[in-house]
Amino acid sequence: MRTGEPLPTVGEVLAALATGLWHWNTATGLVTVDAEAARLLGLPPEQATLSQAQVRSRLHPVDWNEISGVIQLAVAEGTLGEARVRIMDERGRVIRVGRSRFHASFDREKRSYEVTGSLQEVTEPTPGTPAGRTAVTGDWRRSREAFLLDAGRALAEARSTEEVLRVAAGLSMPGFSPDGLAVFGVTGDRLTIIGHHGHQPGDESPFSHMALDTDYPAAEVVRTGRAVYLSTPEQYKDRYPLTWPLAAHFNRQSWAFLPLTVAGRTMGAWMAAFTYPVAFTPDERSVLTTVARMLAQALSRAEAAESARELTDGLQRSMLPRLGPEIPGMRVAARYVPTGGGLQVGGDWYDMIPLPGGTSRTKSGQGRFALVIGDVQGHDVRAAGLMGQLRIALRAYASEGHRPDAVLSRASRFLHGMTFGSVDEDPSDLRFATCLYVEVDPATGLLDIARAGHPDPAIRMTDGTVLSRPTAGGLPLGIDPDADYPTTRITLEPGETMLICTDGLIETGGHDLETGWKRIRAILEDHDGDLEALADALVQAVHGPSSHHTTGPLADRREDDIAVLLLHREGEGCGCGDPITVRPTIRRTMLTVAQDEPERVAVARQQLRELLHDWASEDQVDSAVLLLSETLTNVLVHTDADALLLAEVRGASGDRRIRVEVTDTSDDLPHKRRPGELASSGRGLMLIELLAQAWGVDPRGEGKSIWFELYEADGAVGSGGSGGSGDSEGSEGSGPA
C-alpha cells in the first residue's frame, strides 16, 4: 500500500481474511449475515436475513447450546465470547469447523440479547498433535479441570469394581483419549487382570498371573511405585525387549503405566494405550496421574464394599434358617430384607423350630413346630450378634419341650444376663428384643401364642377378610428377668393364613402403626396369588418402587429391617393358593374376656367391627357392637366367670347373617327387668329385643350362652326378638345390666 492511499474498508479486509460477520437480535429472532458468513454456513454467498431456526439447522445441536451459554456468560462478565462451531449440511454431515468471536449486550426492558460477531473457518486438529491437545478456544486448562471434576464425580458414585471399570472405560480426556485400558491387581507375587477395555476376549491371557519380577511395564510400576511413559514403539522395544512382542500386535503407538496407590500402598497399575503418538507433556501427565489416584481410591472403596457385602451375606445366610421340610396340611413362607443402618444384616430374625414329642402328629410323623419372629433393638453389628445368640437360645429352649410362655421367660432371662448383667456395661449399649412365639399343631390348626412387646399377628380369612388378632403379652425380652408371658390360643381354620412380622414391614416409609397397618391390610385383602407371591407383594409394597406412592405422615420416612412369616392352613381355596372363582362365605372370630381383663371388651368391639367391615348397613354394625358390649359387660359384672365370644358371618354379600354368641360358666339365667327412668342398668334384654332380628339364651351342661343375630338383607334396625329363651326367669343379678 502506498503512502497517502486510503485504507481499505472493513468489509474488504474481512473478505480478504475469509471472515464473515453476523448479527443476532433475540427480540425479533432474526440473524443477519454477510456474503462470507452465508458462504461459510453453506448458503448462497450473498447478504441475507435468516430466522433462528434456519441458522440453528446449520449448526451442530451441541454447539448451538454452547453458544447460548457463552453469550450469557460473556454478558455477565463483560467480556468477548468465543465458541467453536461445527457447520452441517442438509443431510446432517459436518462440512466445516468454524470459530466465532462475538460481543453481546442485554436490553433489560426488552429482556433480549443483541449479538454481533465474526465467523471464520479453522482446520480440525489431528488427535495427538499439539494443536489437537489445545482446544480451539485455547483454554486447555479449563477443559482439563472440567474433565477431572466430571471424572471424580463419576468414580465417586461407582459402588462396585464393575462400575468403576465401566466409568474408567468411558472417560474422554481433553485432547487425548486412550483407546485401550487395563487395570492390574496384585495377588501374592503375581499380577492379575482386574478388568480391561478396548481389547478382544482372551487378549489378557499372556498378562494374567505374570510374576512381579517380569520385565514388563506394569510389573515395574507395582515394584517401584513410579509411573512409566512410553511415547513411541521404539521406546517400548528398547526398554522392555522381552515383553515387547506381547504388546506389538495391538498396534498401539504410546503407552502410560501408572501406579494405583492408596494410603502409601501400591495396589496395582493402570495402563492407558493410544493408537497415535502422545508426547506426554507435563499437563498430560498431570491429568493421567490425577485419574490414576481417583481410580485407585474408587477401586479401594469398591473392594471394601464388596468384601463387606460378601461378609454380611455369609453372616445373613448362617443366621437365617431354612424353613425345613414341608408340613402336611400347612405351608410356610418367609422374607427378610435388611434395610437399616447401612448394613446388609440387622437385628430382625425369624425361625421355624421342630418340637419334640407331643400328642398330635401327622400321618407322615411330622409333629408340632414353632414359628418365631423377633427384633433386637438397633441396626448395628452388636444387634446382629445378639440376634444370632438369642435365636440359638430360643431354639434350644424350644427343643427342650418348654411351653411358649416358658420359652420366652427363659429367653428374657438369658438376654438380660448378656446385656444388663455386667457392672461395666455401657448404659447406652443396653439392648432389648421384641419377640412373637407361635406353637403350631398342624393336625388341628391350634396356635398357642406368647408375645414379648411385638406386633400382634393378623389372620386372613377364607373370604379375604383380614383381622388383627390381639394376644396377651409381656415386656420385651431382656428388660425384666422375671417377666411373665401369658399364652393366647387361637385356631387357624382351613383356608386361613396368619401373618406375623416385625415393625419394619408396618412402619417403613414414614408410617406409624395405624397407617402402616392399613397399607399392609390392603395388600392382604386384594392378593389372589399363592403364598410365596403374597410374601413378595408385602415386601414390594413397603420396600419397592410402588412404596413411594404410599408414603406415611411421618417426615423422617424411617427405614427399618423387615422380617415376614406367613403360615397357611390348607383347605378350600382362600386366594393364597390356586386362584379360585368363588371364595367361601364364612368368617368367624373367637375371643376370651377374663374377669380381670375388662379392657378386652374394647378389643372385642374392634374385632366385631373388623369382621363386619363390608356390611351393607352401618346402623346394623353399630347395633351389633352395642349388643356385644352389653352381653360381655353383663358377664363381667353379674357373674364370677370369664366370657367367651364367638362371632360368625355366613352367606353371600347382601344376604348375610351375623350371629354373636357369648358363653360363660354361670348357671344363672337372665331375665327382663323394668328399670326406672334414672336407673343406670337393667336395659340389656330390652335393647336386644329392639335391635336384634333373633336372640336367645341357651343353657349348657355347665353355664349358658346368650346369642343374637342380625340379617343384612333386612337393613332395618330392630324388628323385635324371636328367641323365647330371652323370657326365661332367673337370678336378677345375672341379667344384662
Side-chain angles (χ1 to χ4, degrees), residues 294-573:
M294 293 190 296
L295 182 59
Q297 294 287 343
L299 288 172
S300 179
R301 289 192 300 269
E303 182 182 357
E306 289 170 351
S307 298
R309 282 195 294 269
E310 183 177 354
L311 174 63
T312 54
D313 287 346
L315 180 62
Q316 188 64 55
R317 286 192 296 269
S318 66
M319 286 187 172
L320 291 181
R322 296 183 179 180
L323 294 180
E326 293 186 1
I327 307 296
M330 293 278 188
R331 281 182 287 162
V332 182
R335 295 292 184 273
Y336 177 78
V337 181
T339 59
L343 296 175
Q344 291 303 306
V345 63
D348 292 20
W349 87 95
Y350 65 83
D351 204 351
M352 179 177 176
I353 309 171
L355 299 179
T359 59
S360 173
R361 286 187 174 273
T362 63
K363 295 180 180 179
S364 65
Q366 181 69 41
R368 298 172 302 114
F369 63 93
L371 295 178
V372 188
I373 195 165
D375 181 3
V376 175
Q377 177 193 13
H379 303 291
D380 51 14
V381 175
R382 178 165 170 76
L386 286 175
M387 177 268 284
Q389 293 172 300
L390 185 58
R391 173 179 164 257
I392 293 172
L394 281 162
R395 177 173 279 266
Y397 297 140
S399 299
E400 290 176 354
H402 297 293
R403 295 288 296 161
D405 55 343
V407 170
L408 290 192
S409 294
R410 285 167 167 77
S412 182
R413 188 174 296 111
F414 169 81
L415 185 59
H416 184 275
M418 290 186 60
T419 59
F420 289 79
S422 174
V423 295
D424 299 327
E425 192 74 39
D426 182 359
S428 64
D429 203 28
L430 301 179
R431 304 297 178 97
F432 60 83
T434 65
C435 183
L436 187 73
Y437 183 97
V438 183
E439 186 176 299
V440 184
D441 187 338
T444 62
L446 289 177
L447 309 177
D448 290 327
I449 303 172
R451 186 171 60 87
H454 202 81
D456 284 307
I459 302 296
R460 185 184 195 269
M461 297 182 171
T462 54
D463 68 342
T465 299
V466 178
L467 296 182
S468 174
R469 287 288 193 183
T471 56
L475 293 172
L477 303 180
I479 294 178
D480 182 2
D482 299 318
D484 292 327
Y485 297 96
T487 301
T488 302
R489 171 169 288 185
I490 65 175
T491 300
L492 191 66
E493 301 290 345
E496 292 185 343
T497 301
M498 179 184 69
L499 162 72
I500 56 178
C501 64
T502 57
D503 57 358
L505 184 70
I506 302 174
E507 296 179 343
T508 291
H511 286 272
D512 54 25
L513 288 176
E514 181 180 356
T515 62
W517 167 242
K518 289 180 180 178
R519 174 177 58 173
I520 298 305
R521 180 175 182 170
I523 299 299
L524 289 169
E525 289 178 341
D526 297 340
H527 188 74
D528 286 327
D530 61 17
L531 202 65
E532 294 293 334
L534 176 57
D536 290 334
L538 289 169
V539 173
Q540 183 74 10
V542 304
H543 194 56
S546 61
S547 67
H548 298 293
H549 303 291
T550 57
T551 56
L554 305 181
D556 59 353
R557 285 185 52 83
R558 180 175 66 88
E559 301 297 311
D560 199 357
D561 303 327
I562 296 172
V564 181
L565 265 176
L566 295 171
L567 174 67
H568 171 64
R569 187 179 183 194
E570 295 178 345
E572 297 295 332

Side-chain angles (χ1 to χ4, degrees), residues 78-135:
T79 61
L80 294 177
E82 186 173 345
R84 169 184 176 272
V85 294
R86 285 163 289 182
I87 300 169
M88 309 174 69
D89 61 11
E90 293 82 355
R91 301 175 61 182
R93 297 175 302 182
V94 177
I95 57 176
R96 64 177 56 89
V97 177
R99 179 177 61 185
S100 178
R101 300 193 67 184
F102 47 83
H103 175 269
S105 61
F106 180 69
D107 190 329
R108 295 185 180 275
E109 294 183 358
K110 297 181 179 180
R111 303 191 63 81
S112 63
Y113 292 92
E114 284 202 24
V115 189
T116 301
S118 62
L119 180 63
Q120 186 179 34
E121 184 175 3
V122 295
T123 303
E124 185 74 353
T126 303
T129 64
R133 293 194 297 272
T134 302

Side-chain angles (χ1 to χ4, degrees), residues 36-79:
E36 184 62 21
R39 183 190 68 80
L40 292 174
L41 290 174
L43 300 172
E46 57 188 23
Q47 184 172 337
T49 300
L50 310 173
S51 67
Q52 289 182 189
Q54 289 176 303
V55 176
R56 186 170 186 171
S57 67
R58 292 287 173 170
L59 302 182
H60 194 283
V62 173
D63 299 339
W64 174 267
N65 294 332
E66 181 180 348
I67 289 175
S68 300
V70 172
I71 288 174
Q72 297 178 22
L73 182 61
V75 170
E77 296 183 352
T79 61

Side-chain angles (χ1 to χ4, degrees), residues 142-446:
R142 180 179 297 179
S143 300
R144 182 190 67 180
E145 291 169 0
F147 160 74
L148 292 177
L149 286 174
D150 291 341
R153 183 186 67 252
L155 289 171
E157 294 173 353
R159 291 292 179 266
S160 66
T161 300
E162 183 179 356
E163 290 182 14
V164 172
L165 295 175
R166 185 165 57 248
V167 170
L171 295 179
S172 180
M173 302 181 190
F176 70 113
S177 294
D179 75 311
L181 301 172
V183 177
F184 298 88
V186 180
T187 301
D189 60 349
R190 293 187 174 274
L191 283 179
T192 58
I193 300 290
I194 298 177
H196 60 86
H197 172 72
H199 306 86
Q200 297 297 322
D203 285 347
E204 73 277 7
S205 298
F207 307 95
S208 184
H209 302 290
M210 181 181 290
L212 287 180
D213 58 1
T214 304
D215 185 31
Y216 181 66
E220 179 181 325
V221 167
V222 173
R223 291 196 308 267
T224 64
R226 293 192 297 270
V228 172
Y229 298 99
L230 304 170
S231 298
T232 63
E234 289 73 20
Q235 289 183 7
Y236 197 129
K237 183 176 181 180
D238 293 342
R239 190 167 175 179
Y240 303 99
L242 296 179
T243 55
W244 163 247
L246 298 177
H249 74 280
F250 291 108
N251 297 318
R252 302 272 166 61
Q253 300 297 312
S254 298
W255 299 260
F257 293 84
L258 297 104
L260 299 175
T261 304
V262 177
R265 180 180 65 89
T266 302
M267 57 181 292
W270 174 49
M271 181 199 76
F274 302 82
T275 55
Y276 51 83
V278 179
F280 296 118
T281 64
D283 274 334
E284 292 167 347
R285 295 192 183 198
S286 176
V287 170
L288 291 169
T289 300
T290 304
V291 171
R293 290 173 180 170
M294 293 190 296
L295 182 59
Q297 294 287 343
L299 288 172
S300 179
R301 289 192 300 269
E303 182 182 357
E306 289 170 351
S307 298
R309 282 195 294 269
E310 183 177 354
L311 174 63
T312 54
D313 287 346
L315 180 62
Q316 188 64 55
R317 286 192 296 269
S318 66
M319 286 187 172
L320 291 181
R322 296 183 179 180
L323 294 180
E326 293 186 1
I327 307 296
M330 293 278 188
R331 281 182 287 162
V332 182
R335 295 292 184 273
Y336 177 78
V337 181
T339 59
L343 296 175
Q344 291 303 306
V345 63
D348 292 20
W349 87 95
Y350 65 83
D351 204 351
M352 179 177 176
I353 309 171
L355 299 179
T359 59
S360 173
R361 286 187 174 273
T362 63
K363 295 180 180 179
S364 65
Q366 181 69 41
R368 298 172 302 114
F369 63 93
L371 295 178
V372 188
I373 195 165
D375 181 3
V376 175
Q377 177 193 13
H379 303 291
D380 51 14
V381 175
R382 178 165 170 76
L386 286 175
M387 177 268 284
Q389 293 172 300
L390 185 58
R391 173 179 164 257
I392 293 172
L394 281 162
R395 177 173 279 266
Y397 297 140
S399 299
E400 290 176 354
H402 297 293
R403 295 288 296 161
D405 55 343
V407 170
L408 290 192
S409 294
R410 285 167 167 77
S412 182
R413 188 174 296 111
F414 169 81
L415 185 59
H416 184 275
M418 290 186 60
T419 59
F420 289 79
S422 174
V423 295
D424 299 327
E425 192 74 39
D426 182 359
S428 64
D429 203 28
L430 301 179
R431 304 297 178 97
F432 60 83
T434 65
C435 183
L436 187 73
Y437 183 97
V438 183
E439 186 176 299
V440 184
D441 187 338
T444 62
L446 289 177

